[in-house]
Amino acid sequence: MSTRRSFLQFCTGAGISATMAEALWHQLAAQPATTPVAPLTAAPAPPLTITREAVRAAETLAGLQFSDPERDLMLGLLQRHLGSYGDLRLVELPNSVLPALRFSPALPGRTFPDRPRRPGRRVRSSQVVKRPATNAELAFLPVVQLAELLASRQVTSVELTRLYLDRLKRYDPVLNCVVNLTEERALRQAAAADHLISTGQKRGPLHGIPYGVKDLLAVPGYPTTWGAEIYRDRILDQTATVVERLDAAGAVLVAKLSMGELGHSDTWFRGTTMNPWQPTQGASGSSAGSAAAAAAGLVGFAVGHETLGSIITPATRNRITGLRPTFGRVSRHGAMVLAWSLDKIGPMARSVEDCAMVLDAIVGPDGRDPTVTDMPFDWDPDFPLRSIRVGYFKAAFDAPHDSKVRDDAALAALRELGFQLVPVNLPTDLPINALTMVGVEIAAALDEFTRNGGLDLLRDQSDTGWPNFVRASRFVPAVEYLQANRIRTLLMERIEDVFESVDVFIAPTFGVLRVTSFTGHPAIVLPNGTISDGVPASISLIGRLYGEQ
């Protein structure tokens, strides 16, 4: 009887009707034991409609309990998930395709330069920098020029630190980008930086430069809130590796900057972070405070964090430069985990060179984040540009899109500089939007928060809000999660094929954001004018793995 019950349950799960299953059971039971049985092929299942009762039943299997309003809110998203599973199953997956379960962006057999990482990257030799006439102008200088002013003693670190602290206090009521100032720590660091400069012990280009970090990085003595009301007073007794390394470089931490609740959007427990260019509109997320503060001249530079666009999107929205490094470039020790195979930490600043200087200070293993690889960052600002093979994502540029005029102008500018642009195309036959690992990993990272009711305390309870997304992600089947990871491997192989012919390629920002997030490739986003109604536009450059230089 137990064998019969198991067989009937299997058939039901495969979409076979109860009547057909009973007939198959009796047919098989009549076969002699030595007669081989042909494998079963499930009949195509009829279209399913997700109901509140189905969600309640699934909760029992997962050991969860939601309310009826929460179940009703999930229905539309779960129905769309069901369609995504069908998309995944359309892709042929040979048995040899590995899931990207323990994620490394480097595919098997891929080799990289075996060179020791040299300390002290050079910055471009610039003309003599003179202090601007006003403090407002001073606040907006790129880091490379602030460094020159500090080195020539035209400004002190304490003076810069007080300037940025004052601006943070003055403009935060408008922008809502500061979670907590680190004023006492900052003034102490700035005084120490000035002392070292006066004795000829400058530690590098970031020495004495005030900066801010997204409030998912732990700093002892100050709350680390992750943007959530429940954590607004929580102090973690650890220092994030990124903060340790910037401390060692002589940089001065002035503020913990806002982030969307638990890494979603630009809304946090004190409201929405606003865009300094358009203060009636949000700054986008989730590195909202980092982007707004860098754009408004409230810090010399900022540190952001990205899972699937949280550096690139707010950098675009706030017209700054944002660098998403190769996955595994920068340690995430001391940072909130959102998705283990997708999270990256990177700089957000007012120039490309600033991003290079910050990246150089924070890259490399720390023995605490096992995903970090010891790869050189050999950036040379005097490298002959025309020796670089540059591609462009032809299909994305050709397709109608909001920023097409600006993007075409960017291609024309590259050609005027002498580059022979190589057309490249990214895979369009793989179901990128159906890759479920991001939701599953976030749901796993927020598991306890979900089960103890913490999601109910978040501000955005809409169908597009984090709580609904996380709850719905709890129901992604394990098999589909693994199949999505195997498709991710295929995607990684296709992108690596692109880099057989180019060293870097340019693309409309939102045409490659998701694809290259999943593959782990580095990207830098540059301001590229505006489109309709003053909405900022950007353009992206995508590099080889560990090819940020």
Side-chain angles (χ1 to χ4, degrees), residues 84-114:
S84 294
Y85 307 151
D87 291 342
L88 293 174
R89 292 164 185 160
L90 293 175
V91 177
E92 182 179 356
L93 286 170
N95 186 255
S96 59
V97 176
L98 300 174
L101 192 57
R102 183 180 176 180
F103 185 69
S104 167
L107 292 164
R110 180 71 194 275
T111 58
F112 297 93
D114 184 16

PDB file of all heavy atoms in Angstrom, residues 84-114:
ATOM      1  N   SER A  84       8.216  32.006 -15.113  1.00  0.00           N
ATOM      2  CA  SER A  84       9.673  31.966 -15.219  1.00  0.00           C
ATOM      3  C   SER A  84      10.199  30.535 -15.185  1.00  0.00           C
ATOM      4  O   SER A  84      11.162  30.196 -15.877  1.00  0.00           O
ATOM      5  CB  SER A  84      10.307  32.772 -14.084  1.00  0.00           C
ATOM      6  OG  SER A  84      10.000  34.140 -14.211  1.00  0.00           O
ATOM      7  N   TYR A  85       9.572  29.692 -14.363  1.00  0.00           N
ATOM      8  CA  TYR A  85      10.030  28.295 -14.310  1.00  0.00           C
ATOM      9  C   TYR A  85       9.880  27.638 -15.675  1.00  0.00           C
ATOM     10  O   TYR A  85      10.732  26.855 -16.104  1.00  0.00           O
ATOM     11  CB  TYR A  85       9.233  27.490 -13.271  1.00  0.00           C
ATOM     12  CG  TYR A  85       9.211  28.102 -11.899  1.00  0.00           C
ATOM     13  CD1 TYR A  85       8.138  27.890 -11.044  1.00  0.00           C
ATOM     14  CD2 TYR A  85      10.251  28.910 -11.449  1.00  0.00           C
ATOM     15  CE1 TYR A  85       8.100  28.447  -9.781  1.00  0.00           C
ATOM     16  CE2 TYR A  85      10.217  29.479 -10.197  1.00  0.00           C
ATOM     17  CZ  TYR A  85       9.142  29.244  -9.360  1.00  0.00           C
ATOM     18  OH  TYR A  85       9.106  29.803  -8.121  1.00  0.00           O
ATOM     19  N   GLY A  86       8.795  27.973 -16.381  1.00  0.00           N
ATOM     20  CA  GLY A  86       8.626  27.430 -17.724  1.00  0.00           C
ATOM     21  C   GLY A  86       9.718  27.908 -18.666  1.00  0.00           C
ATOM     22  O   GLY A  86      10.229  27.134 -19.485  1.00  0.00           O
ATOM     23  N   ASP A  87      10.120  29.178 -18.540  1.00  0.00           N
ATOM     24  CA  ASP A  87      11.206  29.707 -19.372  1.00  0.00           C
ATOM     25  C   ASP A  87      12.509  28.960 -19.102  1.00  0.00           C
ATOM     26  O   ASP A  87      13.267  28.638 -20.034  1.00  0.00           O
ATOM     27  CB  ASP A  87      11.417  31.193 -19.091  1.00  0.00           C
ATOM     28  CG  ASP A  87      10.267  32.046 -19.583  1.00  0.00           C
ATOM     29  OD1 ASP A  87       9.492  31.556 -20.429  1.00  0.00           O
ATOM     30  OD2 ASP A  87      10.145  33.194 -19.119  1.00  0.00           O
ATOM     31  N   LEU A  88      12.789  28.699 -17.832  1.00  0.00           N
ATOM     32  CA  LEU A  88      14.020  27.977 -17.482  1.00  0.00           C
ATOM     33  C   LEU A  88      14.045  26.591 -18.117  1.00  0.00           C
ATOM     34  O   LEU A  88      15.078  26.119 -18.587  1.00  0.00           O
ATOM     35  CB  LEU A  88      14.142  27.839 -15.969  1.00  0.00           C
ATOM     36  CG  LEU A  88      14.365  29.119 -15.156  1.00  0.00           C
ATOM     37  CD1 LEU A  88      14.309  28.808 -13.666  1.00  0.00           C
ATOM     38  CD2 LEU A  88      15.704  29.749 -15.498  1.00  0.00           C
ATOM     39  N   ARG A  89      12.887  25.937 -18.131  1.00  0.00           N
ATOM     40  CA  ARG A  89      12.836  24.556 -18.609  1.00  0.00           C
ATOM     41  C   ARG A  89      12.955  24.450 -20.125  1.00  0.00           C
ATOM     42  O   ARG A  89      13.150  23.344 -20.655  1.00  0.00           O
ATOM     43  CB  ARG A  89      11.528  23.920 -18.130  1.00  0.00           C
ATOM     44  CG  ARG A  89      11.498  23.722 -16.611  1.00  0.00           C
ATOM     45  CD  ARG A  89      10.111  23.473 -16.086  1.00  0.00           C
ATOM     46  NE  ARG A  89      10.125  23.417 -14.617  1.00  0.00           N
ATOM     47  CZ  ARG A  89       9.056  23.595 -13.866  1.00  0.00           C
ATOM     48  NH1 ARG A  89       7.877  23.840 -14.420  1.00  0.00           N
ATOM     49  NH2 ARG A  89       9.150  23.531 -12.548  1.00  0.00           N
ATOM     50  N   LEU A  90      12.832  25.582 -20.825  1.00  0.00           N
ATOM     51  CA  LEU A  90      12.989  25.569 -22.277  1.00  0.00           C
ATOM     52  C   LEU A  90      14.454  25.496 -22.701  1.00  0.00           C
ATOM     53  O   LEU A  90      14.755  25.209 -23.855  1.00  0.00           O
ATOM     54  CB  LEU A  90      12.350  26.821 -22.884  1.00  0.00           C
ATOM     55  CG  LEU A  90      10.824  26.929 -22.782  1.00  0.00           C
ATOM     56  CD1 LEU A  90      10.365  28.280 -23.312  1.00  0.00           C
ATOM     57  CD2 LEU A  90      10.149  25.796 -23.546  1.00  0.00           C
ATOM     58  N   VAL A  91      15.370  25.770 -21.775  1.00  0.00           N
ATOM     59  CA  VAL A  91      16.793  25.789 -22.108  1.00  0.00           C
ATOM     60  C   VAL A  91      17.367  24.381 -21.979  1.00  0.00           C
ATOM     61  O   VAL A  91      17.218  23.722 -20.949  1.00  0.00           O
ATOM     62  CB  VAL A  91      17.556  26.743 -21.167  1.00  0.00           C
ATOM     63  CG1 VAL A  91      19.044  26.716 -21.471  1.00  0.00           C
ATOM     64  CG2 VAL A  91      17.007  28.152 -21.295  1.00  0.00           C
ATOM     65  N   GLU A  92      18.034  23.921 -23.034  1.00  0.00           N
ATOM     66  CA  GLU A  92      18.670  22.606 -23.002  1.00  0.00           C
ATOM     67  C   GLU A  92      19.934  22.673 -22.140  1.00  0.00           C
ATOM     68  O   GLU A  92      20.827  23.476 -22.376  1.00  0.00           O
ATOM     69  CB  GLU A  92      19.033  22.158 -24.407  1.00  0.00           C
ATOM     70  CG  GLU A  92      19.665  20.763 -24.435  1.00  0.00           C
ATOM     71  CD  GLU A  92      20.000  20.326 -25.853  1.00  0.00           C
ATOM     72  OE1 GLU A  92      19.667  21.068 -26.783  1.00  0.00           O
ATOM     73  OE2 GLU A  92      20.597  19.249 -26.001  1.00  0.00           O
ATOM     74  N   LEU A  93      19.981  21.829 -21.123  1.00  0.00           N
ATOM     75  CA  LEU A  93      21.105  21.818 -20.191  1.00  0.00           C
ATOM     76  C   LEU A  93      21.768  20.447 -20.196  1.00  0.00           C
ATOM     77  O   LEU A  93      21.301  19.528 -19.538  1.00  0.00           O
ATOM     78  CB  LEU A  93      20.627  22.145 -18.766  1.00  0.00           C
ATOM     79  CG  LEU A  93      20.263  23.598 -18.492  1.00  0.00           C
ATOM     80  CD1 LEU A  93      19.587  23.734 -17.144  1.00  0.00           C
ATOM     81  CD2 LEU A  93      21.505  24.461 -18.557  1.00  0.00           C
ATOM     82  N   PRO A  94      22.851  20.283 -20.960  1.00  0.00           N
ATOM     83  CA  PRO A  94      23.595  19.022 -20.898  1.00  0.00           C
ATOM     84  C   PRO A  94      24.054  18.728 -19.476  1.00  0.00           C
ATOM     85  O   PRO A  94      24.266  19.643 -18.674  1.00  0.00           O
ATOM     86  CB  PRO A  94      24.794  19.279 -21.819  1.00  0.00           C
ATOM     87  CG  PRO A  94      24.377  20.408 -22.695  1.00  0.00           C
ATOM     88  CD  PRO A  94      23.460  21.247 -21.889  1.00  0.00           C
ATOM     89  N   ASN A  95      24.197  17.441 -19.176  1.00  0.00           N
ATOM     90  CA  ASN A  95      24.576  17.050 -17.826  1.00  0.00           C
ATOM     91  C   ASN A  95      25.902  17.644 -17.395  1.00  0.00           C
ATOM     92  O   ASN A  95      26.159  17.828 -16.211  1.00  0.00           O
ATOM     93  CB  ASN A  95      24.634  15.509 -17.745  1.00  0.00           C
ATOM     94  CG  ASN A  95      24.877  15.027 -16.342  1.00  0.00           C
ATOM     95  OD1 ASN A  95      25.978  14.603 -16.022  1.00  0.00           O
ATOM     96  ND2 ASN A  95      23.861  15.095 -15.498  1.00  0.00           N
ATOM     97  N   SER A  96      26.753  18.002 -18.341  1.00  0.00           N
ATOM     98  CA  SER A  96      28.084  18.518 -18.014  1.00  0.00           C
ATOM     99  C   SER A  96      28.078  19.967 -17.536  1.00  0.00           C
ATOM    100  O   SER A  96      29.081  20.456 -17.025  1.00  0.00           O
ATOM    101  CB  SER A  96      28.990  18.423 -19.251  1.00  0.00           C
ATOM    102  OG  SER A  96      28.435  19.163 -20.325  1.00  0.00           O
ATOM    103  N   VAL A  97      26.953  20.660 -17.681  1.00  0.00           N
ATOM    104  CA  VAL A  97      26.892  22.055 -17.249  1.00  0.00           C
ATOM    105  C   VAL A  97      26.795  22.108 -15.732  1.00  0.00           C
ATOM    106  O   VAL A  97      25.858  21.594 -15.139  1.00  0.00           O
ATOM    107  CB  VAL A  97      25.694  22.789 -17.880  1.00  0.00           C
ATOM    108  CG1 VAL A  97      25.586  24.213 -17.334  1.00  0.00           C
ATOM    109  CG2 VAL A  97      25.834  22.808 -19.392  1.00  0.00           C
ATOM    110  N   LEU A  98      27.787  22.741 -15.118  1.00  0.00           N
ATOM    111  CA  LEU A  98      27.834  22.835 -13.665  1.00  0.00           C
ATOM    112  C   LEU A  98      26.997  23.996 -13.161  1.00  0.00           C
ATOM    113  O   LEU A  98      26.921  25.035 -13.795  1.00  0.00           O
ATOM    114  CB  LEU A  98      29.282  23.025 -13.199  1.00  0.00           C
ATOM    115  CG  LEU A  98      30.283  21.931 -13.560  1.00  0.00           C
ATOM    116  CD1 LEU A  98      31.686  22.371 -13.147  1.00  0.00           C
ATOM    117  CD2 LEU A  98      29.911  20.630 -12.867  1.00  0.00           C
ATOM    118  N   PRO A  99      26.381  23.850 -12.000  1.00  0.00           N
ATOM    119  CA  PRO A  99      25.738  25.013 -11.383  1.00  0.00           C
ATOM    120  C   PRO A  99      26.790  25.931 -10.788  1.00  0.00           C
ATOM    121  O   PRO A  99      27.822  25.478 -10.299  1.00  0.00           O
ATOM    122  CB  PRO A  99      24.859  24.395 -10.288  1.00  0.00           C
ATOM    123  CG  PRO A  99      25.562  23.133  -9.926  1.00  0.00           C
ATOM    124  CD  PRO A  99      26.196  22.633 -11.184  1.00  0.00           C
ATOM    125  N   ALA A 100      26.535  27.232 -10.856  1.00  0.00           N
ATOM    126  CA  ALA A 100      27.454  28.189 -10.235  1.00  0.00           C
ATOM    127  C   ALA A 100      27.102  28.309  -8.758  1.00  0.00           C
ATOM    128  O   ALA A 100      26.684  29.352  -8.274  1.00  0.00           O
ATOM    129  CB  ALA A 100      27.360  29.543 -10.928  1.00  0.00           C
ATOM    130  N   LEU A 101      27.270  27.207  -8.050  1.00  0.00           N
ATOM    131  CA  LEU A 101      26.800  27.151  -6.671  1.00  0.00           C
ATOM    132  C   LEU A 101      27.787  27.806  -5.721  1.00  0.00           C
ATOM    133  O   LEU A 101      27.443  28.661  -4.918  1.00  0.00           O
ATOM    134  CB  LEU A 101      26.560  25.697  -6.269  1.00  0.00           C
ATOM    135  CG  LEU A 101      25.813  25.477  -4.963  1.00  0.00           C
ATOM    136  CD1 LEU A 101      24.468  26.162  -4.975  1.00  0.00           C
ATOM    137  CD2 LEU A 101      25.646  23.986  -4.705  1.00  0.00           C
ATOM    138  N   ARG A 102      29.051  27.391  -5.804  1.00  0.00           N
ATOM    139  CA  ARG A 102      30.094  28.102  -5.083  1.00  0.00           C
ATOM    140  C   ARG A 102      30.691  29.066  -6.081  1.00  0.00           C
ATOM    141  O   ARG A 102      31.583  28.734  -6.849  1.00  0.00           O
ATOM    142  CB  ARG A 102      31.156  27.138  -4.555  1.00  0.00           C
ATOM    143  CG  ARG A 102      32.228  27.844  -3.736  1.00  0.00           C
ATOM    144  CD  ARG A 102      33.257  26.888  -3.219  1.00  0.00           C
ATOM    145  NE  ARG A 102      34.311  27.605  -2.516  1.00  0.00           N
ATOM    146  CZ  ARG A 102      35.361  27.013  -1.959  1.00  0.00           C
ATOM    147  NH1 ARG A 102      35.486  25.703  -2.017  1.00  0.00           N
ATOM    148  NH2 ARG A 102      36.269  27.744  -1.351  1.00  0.00           N
ATOM    149  N   PHE A 103      30.192  30.281  -6.059  1.00  0.00           N
ATOM    150  CA  PHE A 103      30.418  31.149  -7.205  1.00  0.00           C
ATOM    151  C   PHE A 103      31.825  31.705  -7.266  1.00  0.00           C
ATOM    152  O   PHE A 103      32.339  32.273  -6.305  1.00  0.00           O
ATOM    153  CB  PHE A 103      29.426  32.305  -7.209  1.00  0.00           C
ATOM    154  CG  PHE A 103      29.540  33.150  -8.443  1.00  0.00           C
ATOM    155  CD1 PHE A 103      29.149  32.646  -9.671  1.00  0.00           C
ATOM    156  CD2 PHE A 103      30.057  34.431  -8.387  1.00  0.00           C
ATOM    157  CE1 PHE A 103      29.260  33.408 -10.823  1.00  0.00           C
ATOM    158  CE2 PHE A 103      30.171  35.210  -9.529  1.00  0.00           C
ATOM    159  CZ  PHE A 103      29.766  34.690 -10.754  1.00  0.00           C
ATOM    160  N   SER A 104      32.442  31.535  -8.420  1.00  0.00           N
ATOM    161  CA  SER A 104      33.660  32.234  -8.788  1.00  0.00           C
ATOM    162  C   SER A 104      33.446  32.730 -10.205  1.00  0.00           C
ATOM    163  O   SER A 104      32.987  31.972 -11.064  1.00  0.00           O
ATOM    164  CB  SER A 104      34.880  31.310  -8.747  1.00  0.00           C
ATOM    165  OG  SER A 104      35.983  31.926  -9.383  1.00  0.00           O
ATOM    166  N   PRO A 105      33.762  33.992 -10.483  1.00  0.00           N
ATOM    167  CA  PRO A 105      33.550  34.471 -11.849  1.00  0.00           C
ATOM    168  C   PRO A 105      34.514  33.864 -12.849  1.00  0.00           C
ATOM    169  O   PRO A 105      34.276  33.926 -14.053  1.00  0.00           O
ATOM    170  CB  PRO A 105      33.774  35.987 -11.721  1.00  0.00           C
ATOM    171  CG  PRO A 105      34.667  36.140 -10.545  1.00  0.00           C
ATOM    172  CD  PRO A 105      34.277  35.036  -9.597  1.00  0.00           C
ATOM    173  N   ALA A 106      35.617  33.274 -12.364  1.00  0.00           N
ATOM    174  CA  ALA A 106      36.605  32.665 -13.258  1.00  0.00           C
ATOM    175  C   ALA A 106      36.178  31.246 -13.599  1.00  0.00           C
ATOM    176  O   ALA A 106      36.013  30.399 -12.721  1.00  0.00           O
ATOM    177  CB  ALA A 106      37.978  32.653 -12.595  1.00  0.00           C
ATOM    178  N   LEU A 107      35.990  30.973 -14.878  1.00  0.00           N
ATOM    179  CA  LEU A 107      35.591  29.640 -15.322  1.00  0.00           C
ATOM    180  C   LEU A 107      36.777  28.673 -15.259  1.00  0.00           C
ATOM    181  O   LEU A 107      37.937  29.099 -15.292  1.00  0.00           O
ATOM    182  CB  LEU A 107      35.062  29.715 -16.757  1.00  0.00           C
ATOM    183  CG  LEU A 107      33.730  30.458 -16.906  1.00  0.00           C
ATOM    184  CD1 LEU A 107      33.488  30.824 -18.361  1.00  0.00           C
ATOM    185  CD2 LEU A 107      32.590  29.594 -16.372  1.00  0.00           C
ATOM    186  N   PRO A 108      36.514  27.373 -15.170  1.00  0.00           N
ATOM    187  CA  PRO A 108      37.606  26.393 -15.138  1.00  0.00           C
ATOM    188  C   PRO A 108      38.533  26.539 -16.337  1.00  0.00           C
ATOM    189  O   PRO A 108      38.082  26.742 -17.469  1.00  0.00           O
ATOM    190  CB  PRO A 108      36.867  25.052 -15.164  1.00  0.00           C
ATOM    191  CG  PRO A 108      35.520  25.336 -14.606  1.00  0.00           C
ATOM    192  CD  PRO A 108      35.192  26.732 -15.036  1.00  0.00           C
ATOM    193  N   GLY A 109      39.841  26.461 -16.082  1.00  0.00           N
ATOM    194  CA  GLY A 109      40.827  26.552 -17.138  1.00  0.00           C
ATOM    195  C   GLY A 109      41.236  27.959 -17.509  1.00  0.00           C
ATOM    196  O   GLY A 109      42.176  28.158 -18.286  1.00  0.00           O
ATOM    197  N   ARG A 110      40.534  28.954 -16.959  1.00  0.00           N
ATOM    198  CA  ARG A 110      40.871  30.349 -17.260  1.00  0.00           C
ATOM    199  C   ARG A 110      42.039  30.771 -16.390  1.00  0.00           C
ATOM    200  O   ARG A 110      42.025  30.574 -15.177  1.00  0.00           O
ATOM    201  CB  ARG A 110      39.666  31.238 -17.004  1.00  0.00           C
ATOM    202  CG  ARG A 110      39.933  32.716 -17.288  1.00  0.00           C
ATOM    203  CD  ARG A 110      40.057  32.963 -18.773  1.00  0.00           C
ATOM    204  NE  ARG A 110      40.638  34.284 -19.018  1.00  0.00           N
ATOM    205  CZ  ARG A 110      39.945  35.414 -19.060  1.00  0.00           C
ATOM    206  NH1 ARG A 110      38.657  35.398 -18.875  1.00  0.00           N
ATOM    207  NH2 ARG A 110      40.558  36.551 -19.308  1.00  0.00           N
ATOM    208  N   THR A 111      43.059  31.347 -16.984  1.00  0.00           N
ATOM    209  CA  THR A 111      44.227  31.801 -16.234  1.00  0.00           C
ATOM    210  C   THR A 111      44.306  33.324 -16.280  1.00  0.00           C
ATOM    211  O   THR A 111      43.819  33.960 -17.207  1.00  0.00           O
ATOM    212  CB  THR A 111      45.527  31.207 -16.795  1.00  0.00           C
ATOM    213  OG1 THR A 111      45.661  31.582 -18.169  1.00  0.00           O
ATOM    214  CG2 THR A 111      45.515  29.687 -16.691  1.00  0.00           C
ATOM    215  N   PHE A 112      44.943  33.884 -15.269  1.00  0.00           N
ATOM    216  CA  PHE A 112      45.092  35.321 -15.155  1.00  0.00           C
ATOM    217  C   PHE A 112      46.549  35.632 -14.862  1.00  0.00           C
ATOM    218  O   PHE A 112      47.305  34.768 -14.415  1.00  0.00           O
ATOM    219  CB  PHE A 112      44.193  35.866 -14.044  1.00  0.00           C
ATOM    220  CG  PHE A 112      42.738  35.651 -14.311  1.00  0.00           C
ATOM    221  CD1 PHE A 112      42.097  34.516 -13.826  1.00  0.00           C
ATOM    222  CD2 PHE A 112      42.011  36.559 -15.059  1.00  0.00           C
ATOM    223  CE1 PHE A 112      40.757  34.302 -14.073  1.00  0.00           C
ATOM    224  CE2 PHE A 112      40.670  36.354 -15.313  1.00  0.00           C
ATOM    225  CZ  PHE A 112      40.036  35.231 -14.826  1.00  0.00           C
ATOM    226  N   PRO A 113      46.971  36.857 -15.119  1.00  0.00           N
ATOM    227  CA  PRO A 113      48.381  37.209 -14.879  1.00  0.00           C
ATOM    228  C   PRO A 113      48.805  36.911 -13.449  1.00  0.00           C
ATOM    229  O   PRO A 113      48.098  37.255 -12.503  1.00  0.00           O
ATOM    230  CB  PRO A 113      48.414  38.721 -15.164  1.00  0.00           C
ATOM    231  CG  PRO A 113      47.254  38.970 -16.058  1.00  0.00           C
ATOM    232  CD  PRO A 113      46.202  37.993 -15.656  1.00  0.00           C
ATOM    233  N   ASP A 114      49.920  36.240 -13.286  1.00  0.00           N
ATOM    234  CA  ASP A 114      50.440  35.904 -11.971  1.00  0.00           C
ATOM    235  C   ASP A 114      51.509  36.927 -11.605  1.00  0.00           C
ATOM    236  O   ASP A 114      52.699  36.709 -11.782  1.00  0.00           O
ATOM    237  CB  ASP A 114      51.021  34.483 -11.982  1.00  0.00           C
ATOM    238  CG  ASP A 114      51.494  34.054 -10.600  1.00  0.00           C
ATOM    239  OD1 ASP A 114      51.102  34.714  -9.626  1.00  0.00           O
ATOM    240  OD2 ASP A 114      52.261  33.076 -10.506  1.00  0.00           O
TER     241      ASP A 114
END
